[in-house]
Short mmCIF file of all heavy atoms in Angstrom, two decimals:
data_model
loop_
_atom_site.label_atom_id
_atom_site.label_comp_id
_atom_site.label_asym_id
_atom_site.label_seq_id
_atom_site.Cartn_x
_atom_site.Cartn_y
_atom_site.Cartn_z
N GLN A 381 -23.63 52.91 50.24
CA GLN A 381 -22.74 54.05 50.11
C GLN A 381 -22.65 54.75 51.47
O GLN A 381 -23.45 54.54 52.35
CB GLN A 381 -23.28 55.02 49.05
CG GLN A 381 -23.48 54.38 47.68
CD GLN A 381 -22.17 53.92 47.05
OE1 GLN A 381 -21.15 54.59 47.18
NE2 GLN A 381 -22.21 52.78 46.37
N GLY A 382 -21.64 55.61 51.60
CA GLY A 382 -21.51 56.37 52.83
C GLY A 382 -20.59 55.70 53.82
O GLY A 382 -19.96 54.68 53.53
N PRO A 383 -20.51 56.26 55.04
CA PRO A 383 -19.58 55.74 56.04
C PRO A 383 -19.99 54.34 56.51
O PRO A 383 -21.17 54.00 56.52
CB PRO A 383 -19.70 56.76 57.19
CG PRO A 383 -21.05 57.38 57.01
CD PRO A 383 -21.28 57.41 55.53
N PRO A 384 -19.02 53.51 56.86
CA PRO A 384 -19.35 52.15 57.32
C PRO A 384 -20.12 52.20 58.63
O PRO A 384 -19.98 53.13 59.43
CB PRO A 384 -17.96 51.50 57.51
CG PRO A 384 -17.02 52.65 57.69
CD PRO A 384 -17.57 53.77 56.87
N PRO A 385 -20.99 51.20 58.85
CA PRO A 385 -21.81 51.22 60.07
C PRO A 385 -21.01 50.97 61.35
O PRO A 385 -21.50 51.24 62.44
CB PRO A 385 -22.82 50.10 59.82
CG PRO A 385 -22.14 49.17 58.85
CD PRO A 385 -21.29 50.05 57.99
N TYR A 386 -19.81 50.40 61.22
CA TYR A 386 -19.00 50.09 62.40
C TYR A 386 -17.58 50.61 62.22
O TYR A 386 -17.04 50.62 61.11
CB TYR A 386 -18.97 48.58 62.65
CG TYR A 386 -20.29 48.02 63.09
CD1 TYR A 386 -21.15 47.43 62.17
CD2 TYR A 386 -20.68 48.10 64.42
CE1 TYR A 386 -22.37 46.91 62.58
CE2 TYR A 386 -21.91 47.59 64.83
CZ TYR A 386 -22.75 47.00 63.90
OH TYR A 386 -23.96 46.51 64.31
N ALA A 387 -16.98 51.00 63.34
CA ALA A 387 -15.58 51.39 63.31
C ALA A 387 -14.69 50.17 63.18
O ALA A 387 -13.59 50.25 62.61
CB ALA A 387 -15.22 52.17 64.59
N ALA A 388 -15.14 49.03 63.70
CA ALA A 388 -14.35 47.81 63.64
C ALA A 388 -15.27 46.62 63.80
O ALA A 388 -16.33 46.71 64.44
CB ALA A 388 -13.27 47.80 64.71
N VAL A 389 -14.85 45.50 63.22
CA VAL A 389 -15.57 44.22 63.36
C VAL A 389 -14.58 43.18 63.87
O VAL A 389 -13.50 43.02 63.30
CB VAL A 389 -16.17 43.76 62.01
CG1 VAL A 389 -16.77 42.37 62.15
CG2 VAL A 389 -17.22 44.75 61.53
N ILE A 390 -14.95 42.50 64.95
CA ILE A 390 -14.16 41.41 65.51
C ILE A 390 -14.95 40.12 65.34
O ILE A 390 -16.11 40.04 65.77
CB ILE A 390 -13.83 41.66 66.99
CG1 ILE A 390 -12.96 42.92 67.13
CG2 ILE A 390 -13.10 40.45 67.60
CD1 ILE A 390 -12.71 43.33 68.57
N VAL A 391 -14.34 39.14 64.69
CA VAL A 391 -15.02 37.87 64.41
C VAL A 391 -14.36 36.78 65.24
O VAL A 391 -13.18 36.47 65.04
CB VAL A 391 -14.94 37.52 62.92
CG1 VAL A 391 -15.80 36.29 62.63
CG2 VAL A 391 -15.36 38.70 62.05
N ASP A 392 -15.09 36.20 66.17
CA ASP A 392 -14.57 35.12 67.00
C ASP A 392 -15.02 33.78 66.43
O ASP A 392 -16.12 33.67 65.89
CB ASP A 392 -15.06 35.27 68.44
CG ASP A 392 -14.17 34.55 69.44
OD1 ASP A 392 -13.18 33.92 69.01
OD2 ASP A 392 -14.45 34.63 70.65
N GLU A 393 -14.16 32.77 66.56
CA GLU A 393 -14.43 31.44 66.01
C GLU A 393 -14.72 31.54 64.50
O GLU A 393 -15.68 30.96 63.98
CB GLU A 393 -15.60 30.76 66.73
CG GLU A 393 -15.45 30.68 68.25
CD GLU A 393 -14.37 29.69 68.70
OE1 GLU A 393 -13.79 29.01 67.84
OE2 GLU A 393 -14.12 29.62 69.91
N VAL A 394 -13.86 32.27 63.80
CA VAL A 394 -14.09 32.55 62.39
C VAL A 394 -14.14 31.28 61.55
O VAL A 394 -14.82 31.23 60.51
CB VAL A 394 -13.02 33.52 61.85
CG1 VAL A 394 -11.62 32.91 61.93
CG2 VAL A 394 -13.32 33.95 60.42
N GLN A 395 -13.46 30.22 61.99
CA GLN A 395 -13.43 28.99 61.19
C GLN A 395 -14.79 28.33 61.08
O GLN A 395 -14.99 27.47 60.21
CB GLN A 395 -12.42 28.00 61.79
CG GLN A 395 -12.86 27.31 63.07
CD GLN A 395 -12.66 28.17 64.31
OE1 GLN A 395 -12.08 29.26 64.24
NE2 GLN A 395 -13.11 27.69 65.46
N ASP A 396 -15.75 28.71 61.92
CA ASP A 396 -17.09 28.11 61.87
C ASP A 396 -18.02 28.84 60.90
O ASP A 396 -19.14 28.37 60.67
CB ASP A 396 -17.72 28.11 63.26
CG ASP A 396 -17.06 27.10 64.19
OD1 ASP A 396 -16.46 26.14 63.68
OD2 ASP A 396 -17.13 27.28 65.41
N LEU A 397 -17.59 29.96 60.35
CA LEU A 397 -18.43 30.70 59.41
C LEU A 397 -18.30 30.12 58.01
O LEU A 397 -17.35 29.40 57.70
CB LEU A 397 -18.03 32.17 59.39
CG LEU A 397 -18.69 33.10 60.41
CD1 LEU A 397 -18.46 32.61 61.84
CD2 LEU A 397 -18.18 34.52 60.25
#
Side-chain angles (χ1 to χ4, degrees):
Q381 303 295 322
Y386 291 97
V389 174
I390 297 174
V391 187
D392 202 359
E393 306 289 357
V394 62
Q395 74 279 353
D396 289 337
L397 272 57

